[in-house]
Amino acid sequence: MSCKEIIYSIFYILFFVLSIWSGIVSGFTDSHTPPIPFAIEFFTLMIGAVLFAADFAKHKTATFEKIRVHVLGLTANSLVMLYVLVLALQGYR
């Protein structure tokens, strides 16, 4: 792994763990405001998407090895965001 991939991995793992921890501590649902894990994941996914787009544009021939960190990081963080959204939408049924 290159130094940049290690930094991206730390970024994705740090915010993944932070959102899970904040969800356990404060809850994955809230009454009228978005829960903390949702806010963390919202900004993480936006920043990650920009970083992914920059790397994708930089490497014209994007192979899975070059974008693997982004794909795995964005997928894991998207699953947490999806979990929070499913819990929120179940409250409206």
Side-chain angles (χ1 to χ4, degrees), residues 49-69:
V50 169
L51 293 173
F52 174 68
D55 277 351
F56 191 76
K58 183 179 177 183
H59 303 288
K60 299 297 181 193
T61 57
T63 61
F64 184 71
E65 288 94 25
K66 293 182 181 177
I67 60 172
R68 173 185 52 215
V69 173

Side-chain angles (χ1 to χ4, degrees), residues 1-13 16 41 43-59 62-79:
M1 286 181 88
S2 69
C3 183
K4 184 167 57 168
E5 289 175 332
I6 292 170
I7 292 171
Y8 289 159
S9 297
I10 291 170
F11 168 76
Y12 287 123
I13 291 169
F16 177 79
E41 291 300 335
F43 290 112
T44 302
L45 291 175
M46 284 185 14
I47 293 168
V50 169
L51 293 173
F52 174 68
D55 277 351
F56 191 76
K58 183 179 177 183
H59 303 288
T63 61
F64 184 71
E65 288 94 25
K66 293 182 181 177
I67 60 172
R68 173 185 52 215
V69 173
H70 290 295
V71 170
L72 296 174
L74 290 172
T75 301
N77 285 297
S78 295
L79 290 174

